[in-house]
Amino acid sequence: MAVIEYDARYFSPRDVLECGQIFRFVPFGEGYKVFSADKACYVYTRGNATFVECDDGDYFYNFFDLGRDYAAITERAKSFGVPLLTRGASLGQGLRLLNQNAEEMIYSFIISQNNNIPRIKGIIERICAALGEERTFMGEKYHAFPTSAALAGAGAEFFKLIGAGYRDGYLAATSARIAAEGIDELYDLSDDDLKKALLTYTGVGPKVADCISLFGFGRRACFPVDTWIEKLYREDFGGTLKNRDRINRYFCELFGEDAGYMQQYLFYAKREGL
DNA sequence: CTCCAGGCTTTAG
DNA sequence: CTAAAGCATGGA
């Protein structure tokens, strides 16, 4: 069992997990058990340090983005002089952007559309329980996120049955395509070309493509615009645009290379009612 | 009852 | 090109 230790000021399990970038985690012990692809870890804060216990230290070091300096990122966030962003970067100082499995992100965010986080978590949990390979971590069983082949084999009826709603067809079509083609060619594309490519998958629109790029491909310049961002755009930035693609362009130009981090601080701040 | 949730597809103008 | 209807589900 590998154990990673990190400065808790810039690594808060709660902030990292409860900000909507990941849907597979459960409260456990002093912190949480977190599941990604076919792996698991136990993350908790004790004193001034946050610990990650797992079987694959390299995977979770990268997963939690521990090679990156978030002191610099929060400082840059505060430099814009936007009250909501400053509050988000201050109270959400322990937030980090995760580097998650790309295929898991594709399916998870297709499910997320026009949906709420508790229900998204439930749908994903039922999919994993039914189709994911069984594994063991810390003496307890869990299920890996299913392969695209397993998802494709289940078909639309299965997704309907476990409560995915109208997204059943999207999941069936996209899993069938990925099971047949794979996604290897996506990794080398530029940000713009990756987004265009993602938009060709059934059930993936602009917002979902940005989430997949940001959380699944490490494209930190992406800025997903959802209902919360649209609201804070109006209320905290005095924005008047209505088209989400234009709002996306506005924020990307404003924040540049690390727009994705700023998006998370803003999303966090708005949802926490800061 | 209506409204909303990390929106997308389809159709109409 | 933009605008709007339709879409499943569950909680507030």
Side-chain angles (χ1 to χ4, degrees):
Chain A
M1 179 80 77
V3 180
I4 302 169
E5 181 175 349
Y6 197 92
D7 184 347
R9 288 176 299 170
Y10 293 101
F11 186 3
S12 159
R14 182 193 171 277
D15 292 346
V16 170
L17 300 172
E18 303 279 2
C19 70
Q21 61 181 323
I22 180 171
F23 304 104
R24 291 205 297 146
F25 62 92
V26 292
F28 176 81
E30 301 173 63
Y32 302 85
K33 275 186 182 172
V34 181
F35 307 96
S36 172
D38 62 343
K39 303 177 187 304
C41 75
Y42 170 38
V43 58
Y44 57 94
T45 297
R46 185 180 294 166
N48 54 17
T50 292
F51 298 88
V52 180
E53 298 184 12
C54 59
D55 293 323
D56 192 337
D58 289 342
Y59 182 85
F60 283 103
Y61 181 88
N62 174 255
F63 177 82
F64 286 113
D65 207 25
L66 297 182
R68 200 181 309 272
D69 175 18
Y70 277 73
I73 296 172
T74 56
E75 282 312 307
R76 176 164 159 73
K78 295 172 187 172
S79 76
F80 288 98
V82 176
L84 186 72
L85 182 53
T86 300
R87 290 196 296 275
S90 301
L91 297 166
Q93 183 181 248
L95 207 158
R96 312 181 70 82
L97 282 193
L98 298 173
N99 294 303
Q100 303 188 66
N101 177 270
E103 288 188 36
E104 181 170 347
M105 291 301 94
I106 291 172
Y107 302 117
S108 296
F109 281 95
I110 283 176
I111 294 167
S112 80
Q113 65 174 76
N114 198 28
N115 211 342
N116 58 69
I117 292 178
R119 193 161 86 100
I120 296 165
K121 291 171 74 171
I123 293 169
I124 294 174
E125 192 177 311
R126 290 190 288 280
I127 290 175
C128 291
L131 302 175
E133 197 174 312
E134 195 171 276
R135 299 290 174 94
T136 302
F137 177 67
M138 293 176 72
E140 276 187 349
K141 289 179 178 175
Y142 71 95
H143 292 268
F145 194 89
T147 62
S148 289
L151 294 170
E157 313 73 32
F158 165 77
F159 295 114
K160 183 75 174 175
L161 196 66
I162 55 88
Y166 71 90
R167 307 156 195 84
D168 58 349
Y170 303 162
L171 294 167
T174 292
S175 60
R177 177 176 165 190
I178 295 178
E181 298 178 356
I183 60 166
D184 289 348
E185 72 282 3
L186 297 180
Y187 291 93
D188 294 327
L189 299 176
S190 67
D191 288 6
D192 286 344
D193 287 342
L194 174 60
K195 185 167 183 176
K196 285 178 190 167
L198 290 171
L199 289 174
T200 66
Y201 290 85
T202 308
V204 177
K207 185 271 177 185
V208 167
D210 281 330
C211 283
I212 296 167
S213 297
L214 182 57
F215 306 131
F217 288 89
R219 307 304 176 92
R220 305 311 203 210
C222 294
F223 193 99
V225 177
D226 67 350
T227 57
W228 291 93
I229 294 296
E230 202 177 340
K231 181 182 298 183
L232 69 85
Y233 164 74
R234 292 193 309 267
E235 298 178 356
D236 298 274
F237 287 78
T240 55
L241 298 173
K242 291 196 168 183
N243 182 290
R244 283 194 179 187
D245 288 318
R246 293 211 171 89
I247 296 174
N248 169 260
R249 260 175 271 159
Y250 164 80
F251 280 117
C252 284
E253 286 173 18
L254 177 61
F255 294 130
E257 281 187 354
D258 33 353
Y261 300 102
M262 306 305 136
Q263 197 269 8
Q264 282 298 283
Y265 292 132
L266 289 167
F267 183 79
Y268 172 92
K270 201 61 178 176
R271 272 189 13 116
E272 295 284 326
L274 299 181

